[in-house]
Amino acid sequence: MRPELRRRQRRNLRAALLFILPWIIGASIFTVWPILYSGYLSLTDYDVINAPEFIGLDNYRRLLSDEKIALSLFNTAYYTVLLVPAQILFSLALAMLLNEAGRSSSFFRTAFYLPNMTPPVAVGILLLLLFNGQQGLINMALGWVGIDGPNWTTDGPWIKPGLILMGLWSVGSTVIILLAALRNVPAELYDSAKVDGANWWQRTMKVTVPMISGTIFFLVIVNTIAGLQTFTEAYTAFFGAGTYSNEAALFYAIYLFQQAFEFLNMGYASAMAWLLFVIIMIITGIQFLVSKRLVFYEGDDK
């Protein structure tokens, strides 16, 4: 390599590092250091008031015997496993309708996205209003068709289904992403399928879904991580000030928050956070392995 080319590359590298230096500093202070420090705290008995006392792996051993860890993990897994497919299917249906809407699609894109602007705390309060067993709008609507609705906010078996239905409130961003993917599917593929006699369902399953499978995979990853960390809506509705608690709504992030800021078991909460991090990494890794067989990328031989 010529000396002047090496000098130019070094100048470009220095310039690039200079431009991203503020981000590097910010990420190091507000992301990397807190992560590393929480790893240290997970090995200590720390109540925020007194200095951390090193106790080794005791916090991690405690995780194995804490019944609420198993309960909160089950609630979180139940919620995520049902919510993510529901979000994808519901969003895909709306996106496909928008794709056929023509000029009016701009209005509907805005209308579908507006619920995303609602603060999560407001969504939690809205959940209590809509799903109230006696005067809620959902049960009123069910009553119009002769169905006696359940007590969504007090009956344990119905609390998580209510939260899952409420999770569909903010699918606007997922709809917009899927709509962009649908509009990138080449029209000639549909024309070829029609010539071959494929009906709407066959075109959807053999053309649409494979061509947007990369986008669906991305949304599954993002929504799964969000589901495993769900907190605000459920906490506001069932554990916030002026409300009542219910173990059916005790998600892992809520129990972690309680340990850290209500019981001041910051060391134990740090161990819980690292357990959740490992779980998310494992699940994401499995999803990437499965995607090799299910996700189609343009240019692949599959």
Side-chain angles (χ1 to χ4, degrees):
M1 184 181 296
R2 292 178 298 177
E4 58 271 17
L5 181 59
R6 286 198 296 269
R7 286 195 296 270
R8 186 183 308 163
Q9 289 180 339
R10 285 196 295 268
R11 285 198 301 271
N12 291 339
L13 178 60
R14 286 195 296 268
L17 290 175
L18 183 62
F19 277 111
I20 67 173
L21 184 60
W23 178 87
I24 293 175
I25 295 173
S28 300
I29 295 175
F30 298 109
T31 302
V32 177
W33 169 244
I35 290 174
L36 296 177
Y37 190 62
S38 72
Y40 163 70
L41 289 181
S42 71
L43 303 174
T44 67
D45 180 11
Y46 181 44
D47 61 3
V48 182
I49 300 172
N50 301 302
E53 179 183 351
F54 185 79
I55 58 174
L57 298 176
D58 286 357
N59 285 327
Y60 292 96
R61 296 189 187 97
R62 181 180 169 188
L63 291 174
L64 300 176
S65 59
D66 190 341
E67 294 181 356
K68 285 193 173 182
I69 291 291
L71 172 65
S72 61
L73 283 175
F74 170 78
N75 290 339
T76 304
Y78 181 102
Y79 174 82
T80 304
V81 167
L82 293 182
L83 176 66
V84 174
Q87 285 179 325
I88 298 297
L89 292 174
F90 185 53
S91 300
L92 182 58
L94 292 178
M96 293 179 72
L97 288 174
L98 277 178
N99 200 34
E100 304 293 333
R103 294 181 178 179
S104 61
S105 65
S106 297
F107 167 78
F108 288 107
R109 283 202 308 269
T110 303
F112 288 153
Y113 188 77
L114 280 177
N116 281 71
M117 308 301 291
T118 308
V121 172
V123 175
I125 297 173
L126 186 63
L127 183 148
L128 294 177
L129 296 176
L130 291 177
F131 289 88
N132 182 279
Q134 284 71 43
Q135 301 175 342
L137 183 60
I138 300 299
N139 279 2
M140 288 177 59
L142 292 175
W144 295 337
V145 294
I147 299 176
D148 186 16
N151 292 316
W152 300 90
T153 57
T154 55
D155 289 352
W158 288 102
I159 286 177
K160 285 187 286 293
L163 287 165
I164 290 167
L165 290 175
M166 203 64 201
L168 300 178
W169 168 268
S170 57
V171 297
S173 58
T174 304
V175 173
I176 300 302
I177 293 172
L178 285 171
L179 178 62
L182 288 172
R183 292 190 170 175
N184 281 328
V185 179
E188 55 267 22
L189 294 179
Y190 293 114
D191 296 335
S192 299
K194 288 180 182 178
V195 170
D196 291 337
N199 56 33
W200 177 86
W201 178 254
Q202 290 170 329
R203 294 195 300 271
T204 299
M205 298 307 296
K206 299 297 183 181
V207 177
T208 304
V209 173
M211 291 302 296
I212 67 171
S213 58
T215 303
I216 293 175
F217 171 61
F218 165 76
L219 291 171
V220 168
I221 293 287
V222 172
N223 289 350
T224 298
I225 294 173
L228 292 171
Q229 299 180 88
T230 190
F231 172 78
T232 308
E233 293 89 343
Y235 184 83
T236 302
F238 297 102
F239 297 92
T243 61
Y244 50 90
S245 62
N246 194 307
E247 289 194 346
L250 183 63
F251 293 132
Y252 192 84
I254 293 175
Y255 188 46
L256 191 158
F257 175 86
Q258 289 177 335
Q259 288 292 337
F261 300 106
E262 292 182 14
F263 310 142
L264 297 183
N265 295 327
M266 191 64 70
Y268 186 54
S270 298
M272 290 180 61
W274 274 90
L275 174 62
L276 180 61
F277 172 75
V278 171
I279 291 173
I280 290 175
M281 291 296 291
I282 292 172
I283 293 175
T284 303
I286 293 172
Q287 289 173 327
F288 269 97
L289 290 175
V290 173
S291 72
K292 293 180 179 180
R293 303 188 62 180
L294 299 178
V295 178
F296 168 80
Y297 294 103
E298 192 171 353
D300 281 356
D301 294 332
K302 294 186 288 185

